[in-house]
């Protein structure tokens, strides 16, 4: 069984809409985490020795099992996060797509390949390969409890590592169920183990000297603590943190499509999305029309826990105070609520809030709100939009809507973020081949794609001398040989390059 249960102490995961207990889970202490890491070490050796083809087969079978259990997983996500069942299904589909891509592409991306040695080492056969690290600790958030951790779990396993997963204390059941699915398909060794508990359980994982890398997803504040713990053992870390993403709307954009996407980006999952739209910058000519369309659509949205609800409750109760504070601060500083207002916070739900005229220094513009609220800003042109979009310590993702392909691409490049989506919201997240990650306080390192696979490996360089040539790294080298090489180098590299 890959879910350690030694602890006597337990905690409850609650349905945030009803307050009902979904399940009780053990609080894993340092000893339980250490035991899981030890089991993982053994599993990692077995898993690594299995080789590419056998690992691929097993991971594809786990994917198959997850696909067949999609509704059970989605129901659990629905219960633990409160998000609509269909959103939970969509999230699980995305996790399946990523596991599939990682399993199918690991050998191609990481397997041994020959590298051209260059003239100076022409007698060497060069091999580059990417070897697994060993045991990877994955610490996950609650807002996308299967999609987000799978970006690390699936890629780390496909690269040949074993994983110890600490899910968020708000969504432990999702992690436990995922480990059960792995156990059933891969009974030989626990290549994925889930350890449940609060922050201290995550801290035990991060501070272990026997973990080879930590993949952390969560707030920038916790990431700093995790990094400090990792520093003690020089454990490398990939950090996927929060964001304050912007959507830019050009004067010639399709405004219906832009309003639809911006609204989904801001309000779906009750705004609890790391790559969610939190600020919209609209070029002057399009501003009034766009705002009209956005507010019209926003008014129709209703939070709830029933099948017709657009989005669910705020999963983490403490976030409600932050959302309330941001709305209040925006209004106090002269902002205008064109949809909803301070009264929209009806715990555990928050009704849609659209704010305009909010000053750039207000917390609703500067800090991650993580609620179904949005600030809309009028800008004179795209340059001002990019400038304001980039005025944040975060830099996770972004969106640009424009009728002009090359202008959109130029803006996408200039937005300070790891990912930008043109004329759609967050399309990159569904493309398993693309890397996912941020800059600044949004974190560093990448999950997903070839970069995401390499993140959980170390490059290994091997050379094999095929025949002897002139040897310059010997005490027996001659003046004549050195002179010949110097002449050659001058001929090859010493010339002047012309345009
Ligand atoms: P959080 O930082 O509160 O917790 C994240 C995880 O860290 C949890 O499992 C928690 O138990 C654990 N933890 C807490 N203290 C710890 C410690 N001292 N040592 C080790 N682990 C510890 O974040 P959250 O509220 O669960 O998630 C929301 C945040 O995650 C938001 O900021 C959101 O933007 C971000 N997020 C980012 C991405 C991304 O891919 N960049 C994806 C989803 C969520």
């Amino acid at each position: 069984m890959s879910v350690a249960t030694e602890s006597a102490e337990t905690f409850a995961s609650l349905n945030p809409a009803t307050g009902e207990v979904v399940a009780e889970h053990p609080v894993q202490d340092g000893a339980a985490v250490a035991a899981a890491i030890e089991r993982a070490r053994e599993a990692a050796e077995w898993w690594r020795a299995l080789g590419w083809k056998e690992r691929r087969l097993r991971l594809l079978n786990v994917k198959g099992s997850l696909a067949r259990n999609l509704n059970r997983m989605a129901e659990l996500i629905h219960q633990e996060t409160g998000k609509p069942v269909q959103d939970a299904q969509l999230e699980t589909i995305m996790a399946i797509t990523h596991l599939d891509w990682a399993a199918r592409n690991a050998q191609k991306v990481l397997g041994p390949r020959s590298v051209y040695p260059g003239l100076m080492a022409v007698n060497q056969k060069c091999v580059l390969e990417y070897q697994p690290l060993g045991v990877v600790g994955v610490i996950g958030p609650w807002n996308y409890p299967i999609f987000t951790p799978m970006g690390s779990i699936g890629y780390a396993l496909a690269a040949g590592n074993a994983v110890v997963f600490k899910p968020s204390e708000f969504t432990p059941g999702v992690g436990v169920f995922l480990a059960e699915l792995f156990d059933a398909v891969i009974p030989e060794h626990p290549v994925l183990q889930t350890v449940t508990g609060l922050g201290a359980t995550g801290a035990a994982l991060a501070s272990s000297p026997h973990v080879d890398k930590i993949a952390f997803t969560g707030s920038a504040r916790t990431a700093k603590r995790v990094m400090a713990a990792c520093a003690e053992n020089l454990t490398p870390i990939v950090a996927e943190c929060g964001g304050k993403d912007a959507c830019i709307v050009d004067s010639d954009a399709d405004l219906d499509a832009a309003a639809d996407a911006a609204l989904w980006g801001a309000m779906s999952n009750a705004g609890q999305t790391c790559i969610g739209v939190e600020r919209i910058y609209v070029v002057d000519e399009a501003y009034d029309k766009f705002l009209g369309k956005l507010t019209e659509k926003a008014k129709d949205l209703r939070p709830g826990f029933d099948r017709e609800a657009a989005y669910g409750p705020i999963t983490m109760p403490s976030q409600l105070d932050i959302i309330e504070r941001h709305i209040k601060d925006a209004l106090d500083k002269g902002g205008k609520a064109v949809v909803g207002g301070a009264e929209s916070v009806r715990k555990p739900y928050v009704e849609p809030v659209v704010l305009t005229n909010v000053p750039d220094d207000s917390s609703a513009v500067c800090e991650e709100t993580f609620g179904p609220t949005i600030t809309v800003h009028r800008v004179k042109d795209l340059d001002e939009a990019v400038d304001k979009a980039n005025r944040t310590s975060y830099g996770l993702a972004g969106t640009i809507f424009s009728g002009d392909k090359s202008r959109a691409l130029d803006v996408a490049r200039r937005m300070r973020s790891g990912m930008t989506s043109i004329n759609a919201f967050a399309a990159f997240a569904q493309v398993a081949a693309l890397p996912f990650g941020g800059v600044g306080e949004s974190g560093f390192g990448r999950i997903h794609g070839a970069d995401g696979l390499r993140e959980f490996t170390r490059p290994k360089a091997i050379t094999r001398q095929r025949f002897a040539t002139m040897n310059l790294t010997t005490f027996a080298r001659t003046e004549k040989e050195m002179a010949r090489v110097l002449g050659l180098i001058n001929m090859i590299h010493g010339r002047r390059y012309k345009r």
Side-chain angles (χ1 to χ4, degrees):
M1 178 68 168
S2 302
V3 182
T5 51
E6 292 91 348
S7 173
E9 202 189 327
T10 63
F11 70 104
S13 84
L14 302 177
N15 177 324
T18 63
E20 284 163 29
V21 173
V22 180
E24 290 279 341
H25 294 275
V27 176
Q28 307 286 345
D29 60 10
V33 171
I37 294 169
E38 211 176 304
R39 285 192 294 272
R41 175 73 49 206
E42 219 175 281
E45 273 169 35
W46 171 78
W47 185 238
R48 177 193 177 124
L50 261 189
W52 299 110
K53 289 205 165 50
E54 288 297 314
R55 283 199 297 267
R56 172 190 153 116
L57 180 68
R58 282 165 174 78
L59 290 178
L60 289 178
N61 277 323
V62 173
K63 175 207 70 171
S65 167
L66 181 56
R68 292 189 297 280
N69 284 283
L70 193 152
N71 286 333
R72 260 184 80 192
M73 180 59 88
E75 181 57 31
L76 196 50
I77 296 172
H78 171 59
Q79 293 290 330
E80 288 195 324
T81 64
K83 73 173 67 174
V85 174
Q86 285 187 359
D87 287 1
Q89 288 168 332
L90 207 59
E91 184 193 336
T92 312
I93 291 169
M94 284 166 72
I96 288 169
T97 311
H98 278 279
L99 183 55
D100 181 69
W101 192 91
R104 288 183 193 280
N105 288 279
Q107 182 173 12
K108 194 168 76 191
V109 174
L110 307 173
R113 85 239 13 225
S114 286
V115 173
Y116 176 61
L119 265 186
M120 287 293 285
V122 77
N123 60 333
Q124 302 292 332
K125 158 95 180 148
C126 303
V127 176
L128 167 64
E129 63 187 42
Y130 292 84
Q131 299 183 344
L133 301 171
V135 177
V136 173
V138 174
I139 300 174
W142 47 264
N143 60 340
Y144 291 87
I146 183 146
F147 167 69
T148 292
M150 188 60 89
S152 299
I153 293 171
Y155 291 77
L157 286 169
N161 304 280
V163 172
V164 178
F165 174 37
K166 152 65 180 89
S168 164
E169 50 273 43
F170 292 95
T171 53
V174 173
V176 169
F177 185 37
L178 187 65
E180 284 171 4
L181 294 180
F182 269 87
D183 270 353
V185 176
I186 312 174
E188 299 94 327
H189 283 272
V191 294
L192 171 69
Q193 294 175 81
T194 290
V195 289
T196 54
L198 314 181
T201 305
L205 189 58
S207 58
S208 166
H210 304 298
V211 164
D212 299 293
K213 183 150 192 168
I214 289 290
F216 171 82
T217 308
S219 61
R221 198 163 49 103
T222 311
K224 289 172 192 174
R225 282 200 209 134
V226 170
M227 209 172 157
C230 285
E232 288 299 315
N233 300 303
L234 281 185
T235 307
I237 155 172
V238 42
E240 296 288 347
C241 308
K244 190 69 191 173
D245 291 351
C247 172
I248 294 175
V249 182
D250 199 357
S251 52
D252 61 354
D254 175 341
L255 297 184
D256 284 309
D260 189 70
L263 192 69
W264 173 265
M267 311 279 174
S268 63
N269 201 24
Q272 303 166 114
T273 304
C274 53
I275 49 172
V277 175
E278 298 225 352
R279 301 169 293 150
I280 309 178
Y281 295 99
V282 191
V283 171
D284 187 31
E285 296 96 295
Y287 181 85
D288 293 327
K289 239 174 154 181
F290 173 83
L291 187 63
K293 288 177 190 293
L294 184 78
T295 51
E296 208 48 51
K297 288 174 195 283
K299 279 179 188 149
D300 290 342
L301 299 184
R302 179 183 59 79
F305 193 60
D306 54 284
R307 280 197 86 85
E308 277 72 45
Y311 58 83
I314 299 305
T315 308
M316 191 169 64
S318 59
Q319 197 68 26
L320 283 155
D321 297 338
I322 296 173
I323 297 167
E324 206 162 28
R325 174 168 65 75
H326 285 193
I327 298 170
K328 195 169 173 306
D329 182 57
L331 297 177
D332 286 352
K333 287 190 168 139
K336 205 173 128 204
V338 291
V339 175
E343 71 289 355
S344 300
V345 181
R346 295 171 197 259
K347 297 171 186 183
Y349 297 102
V350 178
E351 284 159 5
V353 179
V354 178
L355 299 161
T356 62
N357 300 77
V358 183
D360 292 342
D361 67 346
S362 88
S363 48
V365 179
C366 303
E367 297 168 27
E368 187 179 46
T369 307
F370 235 48
T373 67
I374 186 81
T375 61
V376 190
H377 309 259
R378 188 193 292 269
V379 288
K380 67 174 188 305
D381 54 22
L382 286 178
D383 285 342
E384 188 185 350
V386 173
D387 179 46
K388 291 202 157 161
N390 288 349
R391 263 192 233 162
T392 164
S393 55
Y394 289 113
L396 194 51
T399 317
I400 157 89
F401 272 84
S402 173
D404 186 293
K405 263 194 280 188
S406 60
R407 223 166 38 227
L409 190 61
D410 175 56
V411 168
R413 288 200 170 109
R414 286 160 59 203
M415 285 176 87
R416 183 177 168 272
S417 64
M419 300 81 64
T420 304
S421 181
I422 300 172
N423 291 347
F425 169 69
F428 49 80
Q430 317 174 28
V431 183
L434 285 174
F436 185 106
V439 302
E441 290 220 50
S442 292
F444 53 84
R446 292 294 180 264
I447 55 172
H448 302 174
D451 294 282
L453 282 167
R454 283 190 209 106
E455 191 74 50
F456 299 105
T457 62
R458 58 174 76 90
K460 175 82 183 187
I462 303 171
T463 59
R464 176 175 60 81
Q465 182 156 308
R466 292 183 299 145
F467 53 88
T469 55
M470 188 166 48
N471 188 359
L472 298 177
T473 53
T474 164
F475 293 112
R477 79 178 165 221
T478 63
E479 290 280 337
K480 208 167 135 199
E481 282 172 335
M482 201 60 212
R484 212 186 311 154
V485 168
L486 287 171
L488 198 66
I489 289 300
N490 191 36
M491 206 170 74
I492 298 169
H493 296 296
R495 64 199 168 101
R496 288 193 168 76
Y497 293 85
K498 294 203 177 82
R499 198 160 277 116

